[in-house]
Every structure is written in C-alpha cells, then in structure tokens.
Amino acid sequence: MAKLLVTGGAGFIGSNFILYWLAHHPQDSIVNFDKLTYAGNLENLKDVQNNANYKFVRGDITNPEELDAAFIDIDIVVHFAAESHVDRSIKDPSPFIVTNVVGTQVLLDAALKKGIKKFHHISTDEVFGSLELDDKSKFSERTNYNPRSPYAASKAGSDYLVRAYFSTYNLPITITNCSNNFGPYQFPEKLIPLAITNILEEKKVPVYGDGLYARDWLYVEDHVRAIEAVLEKGKVGETYVVGGQTDEISNLDVVKKIIRILGKDESAIEFVKDRPGHDRKYAVDWTKIKDELGWKPKYDFDSWLEKTVEWYKDNQNWWKNVKDGEYQKYYEKQYSNS
Ligand code: NAD
Ligand code: TYD
C-alpha cells in the first residue's frame, strides 16, 4: 500500500499512468498535482474522479507552499509535470526553464524535506540530440547528452538536477528517458493526434521539411508499463532508456499510414517550412531495462496506431474542446508563414 504524488497527472502520459495505476494497483492511492496549463485536462480522468484512492490538487511545481500542502504522507513521487512541446519551446523557451528546470528543483527540495521513499523522474530521449538517418547506433544509458532544442535542454537540466540530488543528498531517485509516445489523450499539437484530427476536420496535415525525419514511436501504455517496472524493480540512482521499434519509419510514412486508416488520399499532405534545429532521427536501445527489469514493448506500432485513430474518431468532443480559441491562435501563429 503506497501513496503516490503524481505531478502533471492531467496531461497525456500522466493521465494514462493514473488510469493504469489505479486499475492495476487498487491498494495504492494517488494525489494528482497539476497546474492545468493548456495541456492539462481533467476530462481524461473522469472515470476515476470519484475513486476514493484518487485526489486532484491544483498546484504549480514551482510553488513550495502549494507543494507543501499536497505532500501529506507521500511515499513515492512520479514526476511528469513539464512543458513538453518542442515547437512552443522554440517560440518561447522561458516557461520551459521555469517549469522543467526550476520546477523540478523546487519539487526535489520538497521531496527531500518530506523524506519520501522514491522519486521517479520522467524524461525524454531528446536529451541525447540527433542521429543521422543512416546511423546504425542508438541512444543508450551511456550516450552523452547533446540537447538541441530549448525543450530538450530544459529536460537535460532537470535530469542533471535529479542526479545531483541523489549524489549530494541521497534522495532515492530513478530516471527514465523515453522516446516519442502516442495514444489516447495526447494533445493535438503533436504530430500523430494533429494529423488524425486535421484529417477528421478535412484540413491539411503539415509535414515539416522533407518529412524524412524518424522517431522511435512507443504506445503510451508501454511507457507506463516501463515506469511501473522501474518503480517496482528499478535500482535507486539508475537511469533506464525506454523506446519502441519504429526508427525506420519516417514522419511522412506515419502520416500516410494515418491517411490510409481514415480512407483519405495523400492530397491531405502539405509540406511546410522545417522546424529550426530539427533533430533528424531518434532511436533507442532499451537492452538495459529489458535485461535488468524484464520490460519490453507489448504493443506494435501499426495495430495501435489504428486503435489510436479509432479513439480520436470516437472521442471527437474531447479533442474539439481542446482545439479551442487559444489553441487556434497558437496554430495560426505556428503555421502562418509556411
Ligand atoms: P503534456 O504536455 O501532455 O502534460 C504536461 C502536464 O503537466 C499537464 O497536465 C500540465 O498542466 C502539467 N504542468 C505543466 N506545468 C506545470 C507546473 N508548473 N506545475 C504543475 N503541473 C504542470 O506532457 P506529456 O506528453 O504527458 O509528457 C509528460 C512528461 O513525459 C514530460 O515530462 C515529458 O517531458 C515526458 N516525455 C514525453 C514524451 C512524449 O512523447 N509525450 C516522451 C518522453 C518523455
Ligand atoms: P512532435 O510530435 O512535435 O514530437 P517531437 O518534436 O518531440 O519529436 O513531432 C514529431 C515529429 O513530427 C518531428 O520530427 C516533427 C514532426 N512534425 C511535423 O512534421 N509536422 C507537425 O505539424 C508537427 C507538430 C511535427
């Protein structure tokens, strides 16, 4: 029986984690601590809102008093809260530094003060930089950091702080660096939900540059299962990289697959101006977590992409509500001079 403080639990991966955890660990309880930025949505958690083992607290990880009030008898911190979108970090890096770097440090301090048993930090493979398309090597726990976007740099900063709190203060930390996720409840500013929802709205799908960029897509529940494996069996102080098996599939291929699933034609594709500093390829070697903790991906890309498309078809109210006025303004600004 453990009590978890989950930061950023109203976001994409955090809400998938909470739904999974309450279903698979009914003896545990969760406090979801989330600021509810544009990316946080309590609709994701409506199935558990009346669960006696679940509580939502609105708060900002940069605010020590708000954290203090939420940190009651917490055993484990699972830290998802972050600004998470590369394009937004290019337009304005400052909220990324405030939440991802300063916020993580304030949270680490709170966790240290409360003497928690475990602090798990959710990070990204983007801290490792970019691979060439013909590169045979993959990112592993031994790869040097080389972040190339303000988002990646802010996550790298947070990873270093988490490690520093382990070596300096013995805070019992673990870290996962995961590749790109997809699945239900992902905000439609990210490639896969953007493509699906734009096609459902009969709009074009913006593909950056030549479209030949590659990501190591992982179905969100596989990421959640990896976090579960680390929480249950991970070694304190260790980092585990987590990824899928799609580094040979380009963004263009991903968009074409979505178009095919929805029965549309490729005229929906619109090549637009490339992202500055666009990382060519991510690929992850997840041997360590497989060998040491017995984790491997369970959900294949093609079938779960299809199921994800179905989810967005079946939950149009969810994404129509988030593609609201504020999002429209972002969209127009982001894609205006393509
Ligand atoms: P998201 O943007 O969907 O959700 C982020 C959540 O954090 C939102 O609910 C938001 O309200 C909350 N939040 C933001 N600032 C906050 C603050 N100052 N205080 C409290 N809450 C705050 O993000 P996501 O895609 O679910 O990513 C979650 C984590 O996983 C992030 O740390 C991200 O870096 C990491 N990650 C994401 C991916 C991916 O593919 N999405 C891959 C690897 C790692
Ligand atoms: P994204 O979902 O933003 O994730 P990340 O940048 O963290 O990898 O983008 C995934 C890939 O898709 C990335 O190579 C950028 C590309 N992309 C487009 O081509 N068009 C778009 O409109 C978006 C949002 C992304």
Side-chain angles (χ1 to χ4, degrees):
M1 227 170 75
K3 189 167 172 190
L4 284 67
L5 181 92
V6 174
T7 70
F12 163 46
I13 307 172
S15 56
N16 276 284
F17 174 85
I18 291 175
L19 295 172
Y20 177 96
W21 198 270
L22 290 172
H24 290 80
H25 303 267
Q27 72 286 5
D28 289 350
S29 58
I30 290 184
V31 176
N32 173 13
F33 185 89
D34 195 299
K35 183 179 173 181
L36 298 183
T37 66
Y38 78 94
N41 188 348
L42 290 178
E43 268 292 295
N44 308 3
L45 294 154
K46 61 179 184 324
D47 289 352
V48 294
Q49 68 188 3
N50 297 321
N51 184 324
N53 290 336
Y54 170 76
K55 187 178 162 201
F56 173 69
V57 175
R58 186 166 191 181
D60 187 328
I61 56 165
T62 65
N63 185 318
E65 287 80 33
E66 288 175 2
L67 278 174
D68 207 47
F71 254 100
I72 312 286
D73 301 327
I74 298 298
D75 302 298
I76 299 171
V77 174
V78 189
H79 177 33
F80 294 92
E83 288 293 336
S84 68
H85 189 37
V86 173
D87 292 321
R88 286 184 191 254
S89 83
I90 294 168
K91 289 242 168 336
D92 181 8
S94 57
F96 288 72
I97 304 308
V98 172
T99 286
N100 301 1
V101 182
V102 178
T104 297
Q105 185 268 321
V106 174
L107 180 67
L108 285 161
D109 261 355
L112 193 62
K113 203 167 92 190
K114 300 285 180 180
I116 50 105
K117 298 194 186 94
K118 189 167 271 202
F119 184 106
H120 182 66
H121 176 58
I122 318 297
S123 193
T124 166
D125 64 348
E126 304 193 23
V127 298
F128 300 119
S130 179
L131 297 166
E132 294 304 322
L133 282 182
D134 59 359
D135 235 317
K136 292 280 167 267
S137 67
K138 296 187 175 199
F139 301 141
S140 78
E141 294 77 8
R142 296 171 303 284
T143 307
N144 287 334
Y145 277 28
N146 182 26
R148 291 161 30 89
S149 70
Y151 164 65
S154 69
K155 292 299 289 187
S158 68
D159 293 9
Y160 285 138
L161 281 164
V162 173
R163 292 207 190 114
Y165 272 65
F166 170 64
S167 34
T168 309
Y169 309 112
N170 289 321
L171 187 73
I173 66 97
T174 45
I175 300 178
T176 40
N177 292 90
C178 188
S179 60
N180 290 61
N181 287 208
F182 69 101
Y185 303 116
Q186 186 167 30
F187 197 87
E189 65 189 354
K190 307 279 168 64
L191 179 67
I192 289 180
L194 178 74
I196 299 169
T197 58
N198 272 19
I199 294 168
L200 289 173
E201 290 180 306
E202 311 274 337
K203 289 186 186 148
K204 299 269 189 198
V205 180
V207 171
Y208 294 160
D210 58 11
L212 302 180
Y213 295 83
R215 298 291 182 260
D216 202 350
W217 296 102
L218 184 71
Y219 187 64
V220 62
E221 193 174 310
D222 273 332
H223 186 187
V224 167
R225 289 175 50 251
I227 297 166
E228 179 185 44
V230 174
L231 287 173
E232 290 182 342
K233 296 176 270 179
K235 210 171 131 212
V236 167
E238 293 287 312
T239 290
Y240 301 87
V241 302
V242 180
Q245 289 162 309
T246 69
D247 53 294
E248 303 297 324
I249 304 177
S250 68
N251 291 343
L252 196 53
D253 290 340
V254 171
V255 170
K256 284 181 181 169
K257 280 175 193 281
I258 294 169
I259 287 174
R260 230 172 294 132
I261 295 167
L262 286 168
K264 301 284 179 194
D265 68 73
E266 290 175 12
S267 62
I269 295 170
E270 182 177 29
F271 287 96
V272 300
K273 195 174 67 160
D274 210 349
R275 171 188 282 173
H278 197 169
D279 290 339
R280 204 47 157 162
K281 180 170 100 165
Y282 303 142
V284 170
D285 171 3
W286 35 266
T287 308
K288 175 177 170 180
I289 188 168
K290 174 169 87 35
D291 289 353
E292 293 186 13
L293 309 184
W295 175 90
K296 61 177 196 244
K298 191 160 128 183
Y299 302 109
D300 73 283
F301 184 66
D302 284 354
S303 328
W304 289 83
L305 182 65
E306 251 184 81
K307 291 196 206 307
T308 301
V309 171
E310 284 307 310
W311 187 88
Y312 281 88
K313 266 170 87 175
D314 292 345
N315 289 276
Q316 304 220 10
N317 280 342
W318 181 88
W319 57 263
K320 284 188 174 148
N321 284 340
V322 297
K323 277 188 151 180
D324 63 0
E326 203 195 318
Y327 175 75
Q328 283 306 334
K329 271 188 249 152
Y330 160 78
Y331 192 87
E332 277 154 30
K333 217 164 133 198
Q334 172 63 18
Y335 298 100
S336 60
N337 41 12
S338 321

